[in-house]
Amino acid sequence: MSAGLRRIVYPGTFDPITNGHLDVISRALQLFDEVVVAIAADTTKKPLFTLEQRQALAEKAMADWNGKVRVTIFRGLLVDFVQSQDARAILRGLRAVSDFEFEFQMALMNRKLSDKIETIFLMPRDTYTYLSSTIIKEIGRLGGDISSFVPPVVEEAMRKQFQGEKR
Ligand code: ADP
């Protein structure tokens, strides 16, 4: 990748990617040349989709942003990964005050680990502030309509996943 490109890393679980994540990414693309969506392999959460499924869903959901967004899986410390990508910024989304405490702690800890990397917070459109992957999985599992919360590829994948669970 050429030098001087402004690149930001957006880490998370993305289980699965939602319209809230996509909203934050589209805002970041107004400020940066490239967003690296980084799916964390080392997580204590028990995900619904495998790492590869989450990567494929994110890639399909962002096909229109080809060349501006890259989806990768990362292991180990986030700050090391950010440096390996030639980036200096971490992107996180802030939905409500409830996100703040955890995000603040993470941002300061990451700064302690590497003073060269800044965390940037973006807020989604107000209609997405109550969206989380967790709540969408709950609604999907119970057969609710999630079409306004996730891209069509994700809706389809969730339907298949939950049909499989019922069998
Ligand atoms: P993590 O397990 O790291 O919280 P997530 O995939 O749940 O991973 O979220 C990744 C980032 O995206 C976090 O900063 C989270 O606050 C943010 N995020 C999740 N859902 C939304 C949303 N609806 N609007 C804005 N930001 C969001």
Side-chain angles (χ1 to χ4, degrees), residues 56-163:
L57 287 173
E59 279 170 353
K60 283 183 195 148
M62 299 189 291
D64 286 353
W65 295 330
N66 200 0
K68 291 196 236 163
V69 179
R70 201 151 35 87
V71 186
T72 56
I73 291 167
F74 83 98
R75 293 185 162 75
L77 271 184
L78 175 61
V79 289
D80 292 340
F81 176 75
V82 173
Q83 255 146 10
S84 79
Q85 298 297 298
D86 242 339
R88 295 198 46 195
I90 296 168
L91 173 65
R92 295 287 288 178
L94 268 189
R95 287 163 290 192
V97 181
S98 50
D99 278 341
F100 181 78
E101 201 168 328
F102 175 70
E103 293 293 342
F104 186 66
Q105 187 183 18
M106 286 256 294
L108 291 187
M109 181 50 85
N110 282 327
R111 179 181 286 164
K112 194 102 196 137
L113 293 171
S114 174
D115 203 21
K116 293 195 196 83
I117 296 168
E118 293 295 343
T119 304
I120 292 180
F121 295 98
L122 292 178
M123 278 146 311
R125 214 165 91 182
D126 53 359
T127 44
Y128 294 144
T129 51
Y130 56 88
L131 270 195
S132 71
S133 300
T134 307
I135 208 159
I136 283 162
K137 282 179 278 188
E138 280 305 308
I139 300 168
R141 184 170 277 127
L142 299 171
D145 180 8
I146 52 166
S147 58
S148 52
F149 308 135
V150 293
V153 278
V154 170
E155 189 189 0
E156 174 70 19
M158 292 210 14
R159 201 154 33 80
K160 281 200 189 128
Q161 192 81 12
F162 291 130
Q163 269 168 3

